[in-house]
Amino acid sequence: MRATKALIHLDNFTANIKAVRDHLKTAGSSSPLLCVPVKADGYGHGAVPVARAALKAGANFLAIATVDEGVELRDAGIDSPILLLSQALPSEMETVAEHSLSPFVADKDAAKLIADAAAMTRKGKKLPVHIKIDTGMGRMGCYPNEAAELAACIASFGSLEIAGTATHLAVSDSAVPDDIAYTKKQIEKFNQAVNSIKAAGYNPGIVHAANTGAAIAHSDAWFDMVRPGILLYGYPPGGITPRLLVRPVMEVVTNIVFIKQVKKGDSISYGRTWTAPHDTVVGIIPIGYGDGLPRILSKDFDFTINGIQYPLAGRICMDQCMIDLGADTDVKRWDEVSVFGGAYPAAHNAATIAARIGTIPYEITCNINKRVARVYV
Ligand SMILES: *Cc1c(COP(=O)(O)O)cnc(C)c1O
């Protein structure tokens, strides 16, 4: 196997789930169900192994974004409820119904399409669907005042069952007072919409709203089920620090595959942006932007070898980059290098990388691509 790989620490994933479940118990006697998002190949960690670990650790639901992601889980023999979070095309509806994926339904047209597909493929067995309400995310969802009518529409189809009612929060991961007020407003609108469904005589099913931000900071958004994603993969979201401890699940590692002596003034890599300030030793590692390591990190990055930080030297190439190991280094050829996500406190993780380049940890783990084998440890 190639040097560069993503170690997926499933023990950390399981421990993170336990930490979140313990945190949810603070709700009192009836802690909410847990839905684990495994979309985008489990945030880059590998959907099937992560889904299996999640269910083993007590998850009640999985969530995916594309129909193909749902089919992958079913083909792997996973038979838990699976929420389909994004809108499928008309041509995909039969696959949704056949594989018992529970789609978010946000309008009557889509309800009719999925109802017809369910009637055709499920031999009388109702397909559970979840009503999706837009309370302020501005993404998929009916407006709160349309929720009761949509419930009536769904209920009118013999092939569908209203299994849940959901919304999604836009700024639940922020500690800014205006954002907290916005989240409270979203929760209030959602409560009103759920009540309107009940008042019209329909059972809203499992009521759910909380992503990671709300699972941490808004217990009034927990309802019957929560859907925290990034927290389970080991990262707090955005601007709030959770009281519970989670650890990164993905650790990207590689090895020093070549070592060279470099003279003062020698340049390293494309563009000659780095020249040796003194005689030194440079190590080469086989990872680059072709693996999903952002090239923009070329400005300033460091790697951890045997617990010690060493700076990147020069630009990140497609398949390789170079490390300044220093003149009297102890580092040897073939030594292991932790790129990010390792247990050393000073080592980079997806959050420190994200902060450095102005993005979020989600994007860092998702972008580690299929050239990097996932190794489950
Ligand atoms: C991705 C997603 C989540 C999980 O969000 P995190 O920020 O990772 O907790 C929850 N609900 C929906 C609808 C999503 O799309």
Side-chain angles (χ1 to χ4, degrees):
M1 183 185 282
R2 125 175 231 244
T4 302
K5 39 194 164 302
L7 307 179
I8 306 299
H9 296 280
L10 287 176
D11 51 345
N12 285 355
F13 183 66
T14 302
N16 295 343
I17 290 183
K18 185 175 184 312
V20 170
R21 281 163 60 98
D22 287 348
H23 171 71
L24 295 171
K25 282 189 193 136
T26 57
S29 54
S30 62
S31 62
L33 301 174
L34 179 64
C35 171
V36 175
V38 296
K39 59 194 184 188
D41 202 24
Y43 290 44
H45 296 67
V48 169
V50 159
R52 288 201 180 113
L55 294 169
K56 205 170 148 200
N60 309 92
F61 273 68
L62 301 170
I64 40 92
T66 73
V67 178
D68 290 347
E69 290 173 343
V71 170
E72 185 190 5
L73 296 178
R74 291 291 185 236
D75 284 352
I78 289 168
D79 59 6
S80 71
I82 298 177
L83 272 179
L84 174 59
L85 304 173
S86 300
Q87 178 65 57
L89 282 177
S91 58
E92 296 176 297
M93 294 295 179
E94 272 186 51
T95 310
V96 172
E98 278 170 354
H99 290 79
S100 288
L101 307 179
S102 294
F104 275 165
V105 175
D107 70 288
K108 293 182 192 172
D109 289 346
K112 170 96 171 64
L113 287 168
I114 190 64
D116 289 349
M120 217 154 58
T121 58
R122 294 176 56 83
K123 306 186 182 90
K125 195 165 171 251
K126 286 178 190 263
L127 181 72
V129 304
H130 291 229
I131 298 171
K132 181 71 189 303
I133 303 169
D134 178 14
T135 57
M137 173 68 185
R139 208 166 67 177
M140 194 187 160
C142 68
Y143 287 115
N145 64 358
E146 301 166 334
E149 217 180 300
L150 180 57
C153 168
I154 294 170
S156 74
F157 296 112
S159 59
L160 301 182
E161 171 201 348
I162 303 172
T165 299
T167 193
H168 194 44
L169 302 168
V171 284
S172 63
D173 59 351
S174 166
V176 175
D178 271 359
D179 291 338
I180 292 171
Y182 192 86
T183 302
K184 296 294 171 216
K185 195 88 210 160
Q186 279 199 270
I187 295 167
E188 186 188 317
K189 286 182 187 168
F190 184 53
N191 269 312
Q192 284 167 2
V194 169
N195 286 335
S196 76
I197 292 170
K198 289 179 184 162
Y202 303 100
N203 184 342
I206 297 167
V207 176
H208 51 112
N211 50 4
T212 289
I216 294 169
H218 296 275
S219 59
D220 49 349
W222 290 356
F223 298 102
D224 303 325
M225 182 162 81
V226 300
R227 314 184 302 264
I230 197 69
L231 189 61
L232 303 180
Y233 297 99
Y235 295 99
I240 49 177
T241 314
R243 266 167 304 170
L244 64 168
L245 181 73
V246 290
R247 291 196 177 84
V249 176
M250 178 188 289
E251 177 184 14
V252 173
V253 297
T254 187
N255 297 85
I256 302 273
V257 292
F258 194 82
I259 282 195
K260 67 201 301 166
Q261 302 289 330
V262 168
K263 289 264 174 268
K264 179 178 176 179
D266 284 355
S267 67
I268 299 289
S269 196
Y270 290 120
R272 306 190 60 211
T273 56
W274 192 90
T275 45
H278 45 74
D279 290 1
T280 188
V281 175
V282 163
I284 298 172
I285 53 174
I287 183 172
Y289 63 82
D291 298 293
L293 186 68
R295 182 175 175 276
I296 197 168
L297 288 171
S298 297
K299 283 184 293 199
D300 176 24
F301 193 61
D302 53 76
F303 300 89
T304 306
I305 307 169
N306 302 320
I308 297 167
Q309 270 65 53
Y310 297 89
L312 174 72
R315 284 195 184 144
I316 294 172
C317 309
M318 186 184 287
D319 315 303
Q320 306 176 58
C321 52
M322 279 62 85
I323 308 178
D324 181 6
L325 299 172
D328 357 281
T329 185
D330 295 331
V331 176
K332 292 183 294 299
R333 191 179 194 182
W334 316 124
D335 276 1
E336 187 174 276
V337 178
S338 179
V339 179
F340 71 82
Y344 293 111
H348 273 292
N349 58 51
T352 62
I353 292 178
R356 190 159 287 198
I357 65 176
T359 185
I360 51 177
Y362 307 65
E363 193 181 2
I364 303 300
T365 62
C366 281
N367 280 357
I368 297 300
N369 62 39
K370 68 179 191 317
R371 193 164 82 174
V372 181
R374 272 62 176 170
V375 178
Y376 296 88
V377 294

